[in-house]
Amino acid sequence: MVRIIRPAAVAAVLAATAVSHSAPAHAAGFDGPWTVLIITEAGSCDQGYSFPVQISGGRVTSAGSANITGTVGRGGAVTVRVSQGGSSASGHGRLGDSSGLGRWSGKGSSGTCSGRWQATRS
């Protein structure tokens, strides 16, 4: 079952990581709205979530109310951090012209979880 993510659920799915706050100008080719599908492979988190993000100038931000920050670098390498309340999450991977793949791990009210993510340009 895939659920549409609510801001509080995002942070319960993932774990913290350091994120660079500068994005290279050439990453701007990934700008625009994206939809991310989070798939849990280990842990007691829900099986899946879908949520919107925005990329602008190589920076990843939330299109919803969760605190999502990250960067897209050379060749589409992406690093992201999600936090809300006492929960936090992190992921990394790579974006292409219209889709992307990566891994995530995190800790929230449901415990520690991990899995993969898929992104598509909206």
Side-chain angles (χ1 to χ4, degrees):
M1 168 195 290
V2 174
R3 295 184 181 178
I4 299 302
I5 196 160
R6 290 180 172 71
V10 175
V13 176
L14 308 170
T17 191
V19 174
S20 168
H21 293 289
S22 62
H26 62 276
F30 301 101
D31 285 2
W34 291 75
T35 300
V36 178
L37 175 63
I38 299 292
I39 300 152
T40 300
E41 296 177 327
S44 59
C45 299
D46 285 336
Q47 194 173 353
Y49 297 99
S50 178
F51 63 96
V53 297
Q54 181 71 31
I55 300 175
S56 179
R59 295 181 193 274
V60 181
T61 59
S62 174
S65 62
N67 183 18
I68 300 174
T69 59
T71 59
V72 180
R74 182 179 304 264
V78 62
T79 302
V80 66
R81 175 184 165 83
V82 179
S83 64
Q84 187 170 36
S87 299
S88 61
S90 67
H92 64 281
R94 185 162 310 279
L95 294 177
D97 290 338
S98 61
S99 65
L101 298 170
R103 306 289 306 166
W104 65 268
S105 64
K107 185 174 181 181
S109 61
S110 297
T112 301
C113 300
S114 63
R116 62 189 168 93
W117 59 264
Q118 301 171 195
T120 54
R121 194 181 290 267
S122 301

